[in-house]
Amino acid sequence: MQPHENTGHPRRWAILGVLVVSLLVVVLDNTILNVALRTLADPVHGLGASQGELEWAINSYTLVFAGLLFTFGILGDRAGRRRFLLIGLVLFGLSSLLSAYAQSPGQLIAARALMGVGGAAIMPVTLSIISNVFDPRERGRAIGVWAGAVGLAVAIGPILGGTLLEHFWWGSVFLINVPVVALGVLLVALLVPESRDPRPGRVDILGVLLSVIGLVALTYGIIDGGEHGFGRPLVWAAILGGVAVLAWFVEHERRSDHPSLDVRLFRVPRFAAPVAIVGLVFFAAMGVMFFSSFYMQLVRGYSPLETGLFFLPFAVAQLVFAPRSAAMVRRYGGRAVATVGLVLTAVALAAFAFIDAATPIWVVLVAFFLQGVGMANIMPPATESIMSALPREKAGVGSAVSNTVRQIAGALGVAVLGSVLSAVYRQDIATVADALPAPAREAATESVSGAYAAAAQLGPAAPRLIAAANDAFVSAMHWAAAISAVVAALGIIVVLRWMPGRPDAAVPATPVAERELAATT
């Protein structure tokens, strides 16, 4: 073999396009739903869903998705990644159709859970297929495009959702998935080659079961605590039980002669450091995106569509900078690129600690753009480092770990920062709320959305309550933003201490993890 021969698939860039379409539909759907919640609660134009039913419409997807990501990444390596991608797309399309025509909140919740199964089958195999069809020298650029697609979908979801809701009924936010999925199935069948682990060994049944139980319990506890408070025994039983089961999983994997996950990988800086970075960044970023949507719609008074449009700078930054991050890594090294990305992200998140109701809107747009640039230079080198630590036939494991950590960290960020937001908001609005009638007081202290709803019934007293609610929310936002910036800054320490620097062109093709583990044993 010539030293410069490209080992990638001849149709690799067309395959990447198909994988990006498959990925977009999964990520888009979750962000689209957020802008449809008010409509779904309407008994005339929606389903008349209660607050609890709306929460489960989101959480049934997240719970199933997070619980199955790791398992499906492993099973995709064994059964065939193309096959898993096709099964996932078909399931996602059918459940989208069921969601669009759901006749009750219960039907919608069940259909969304089925969508979570499809999404969990799709996401990890897209990344592992990239690792198998691209030459290692091009893989970083391809992963940059993949990461850019994730960021783009997160940002344009609210825009697409707002547009659909302004012109069609609520089911259109799900029905839009069906033709995209149909096109994806056709293109995957025509273009994407099958790949799998040629030496899969025995299935680690106990490990698979422990990972699912532990991840579902942990995710449930985080979500439920974030929405209803962390003061209840059930929440801590779920969280601590999930952690205990995952600890059992790690111990089992360490002793198993056919593990689902070789936990020794976490002794390898090239694998462990970027996994930690992914977790820290998504914890910080998802929490800020959660409260910034409320800030734009309630404190600043923008419509759902206008709010979605304000995320465009983030999307543009992802689209422009993520595909170029591989070239930056080759020139300056992964450590330098990730450090700059984390600094930009921390600065952008910290900016929200100084934004108030009168801040010029261009400042908010600049903050979103800086966050997009920062994350575009974190996720691709981190993901490439994770994937390069494993041989191609085990790519599903790396993809599964990366995506699972991202999902859990994002849910944890929303839960923890959301709890901080609620606690500070309730404390700051208490003085004004105490003077209100009991029903209005309860609504006003629950959330800023409740305060606006209560104000609509108060007549002349409404402006005072709205002003107090805005002030309390902005103060709470400042605390949450400061914490998120500190979390992102912790990633800088991880990068500088453990992230590898420039790639060594002279290193042989043996997977990084195998070499480094061999050196330590």
Side-chain angles (χ1 to χ4, degrees), residues 77-99:
D77 280 346
R78 298 179 62 90
R81 301 177 184 108
R82 176 174 173 268
R83 178 183 299 172
F84 249 68
L85 182 54
L86 287 169
I87 292 171
L89 284 169
V90 170
L91 267 178
F92 199 88
L94 288 175
S95 51
S96 296
L97 195 62
L98 292 173
S99 297

Side-chain angles (χ1 to χ4, degrees), residues 253-277:
E253 298 299 286
R254 198 170 66 85
R255 295 175 179 274
S256 175
D257 58 0
H258 57 288
S260 299
L261 172 65
D262 185 352
V263 293
R264 295 181 305 158
L265 285 168
F266 291 97
R267 290 159 45 193
V268 178
R270 190 178 292 271
F271 184 87
V275 166
I277 294 164

Side-chain angles (χ1 to χ4, degrees), residues 2 67 81 116 120 125 152 158 176 182 195 202 212 229 242 383 401 466 497:
Q2 296 301 315
R81 301 177 184 108
V125 297
L152 181 66
I176 191 70
S195 63
R202 288 185 291 156
V212 173
T383 306
V401 170
I466 288 176
R497 175 65 181 83

Side-chain angles (χ1 to χ4, degrees), residues 281 284-285 340-350 370-376 378 485 488:
V281 167
V340 171
L342 282 160
V343 169
L344 289 175
T345 302
V347 168
L349 298 177
L370 283 178
Q371 184 182 345
V373 175
M375 292 184 68
I378 298 168

Side-chain angles (χ1 to χ4, degrees), residues 353-422:
F354 301 95
I355 289 171
D356 57 30
T359 300
I361 202 63
W362 66 264
V363 175
V364 179
L365 297 179
V366 169
F368 281 139
F369 181 78
L370 283 178
Q371 184 182 345
V373 175
M375 292 184 68
N377 285 287
I378 298 168
M379 298 311 299
T383 306
E384 160 63 8
S385 184
I386 293 168
M387 301 307 290
S388 68
L390 296 165
R392 285 183 174 185
E393 60 270 18
K394 298 290 186 183
V397 175
S399 175
V401 170
S402 175
N403 284 301
T404 301
V405 167
R406 179 168 53 206
Q407 191 70 22
I408 296 291
L412 189 59
V414 171
V416 173
L417 295 178
S419 296
V420 170
L421 196 76
S422 295

Side-chain angles (χ1 to χ4, degrees), residues 210-296:
L210 290 175
S211 70
V212 173
I213 294 169
L215 288 170
V216 168
L218 177 61
T219 307
Y220 174 80
I222 291 168
I223 291 172
D224 195 58
E227 290 174 351
H228 305 295
F230 285 91
R232 294 170 303 125
L234 176 63
V235 170
W236 285 106
I239 291 175
L240 296 178
V243 170
V245 173
L246 291 175
W248 182 9
F249 166 75
V250 170
E251 181 62 20
H252 168 73
E253 298 299 286
R254 198 170 66 85
R255 295 175 179 274
S256 175
D257 58 0
H258 57 288
S260 299
L261 172 65
D262 185 352
V263 293
R264 295 181 305 158
L265 285 168
F266 291 97
R267 290 159 45 193
V268 178
R270 190 178 292 271
F271 184 87
V275 166
I277 294 164
V278 167
L280 291 169
V281 167
F282 269 81
F283 177 98
M286 291 301 103
V288 169
M289 286 190 169
F290 169 75
F291 67 65
S292 62
S293 178
F294 287 96
Y295 166 78
M296 301 300 293

Side-chain angles (χ1 to χ4, degrees), residues 23-37 57-58 61-62 92 112 115 123 149-165 173-174 176-177 282 286 289-290 293 297 304 307-308 311 314 407:
L23 183 68
L24 277 174
V25 74
V26 175
V27 183
L28 266 175
D29 181 78
N30 224 24
T31 54
I32 282 178
L33 180 61
N34 290 332
V35 300
L37 294 178
I58 295 174
Y61 177 92
T62 305
F92 199 88
R112 288 279 297 162
M115 288 176 74
M123 180 166 269
V150 174
L152 181 66
V154 168
I156 67 175
I159 303 171
L160 181 58
T163 303
L164 290 170
L165 289 172
V173 301
F174 299 110
I176 191 70
N177 296 335
F282 269 81
M286 291 301 103
M289 286 190 169
F290 169 75
S293 178
Q297 292 189 54
T307 299
F311 285 100
F314 179 91
Q407 191 70 22

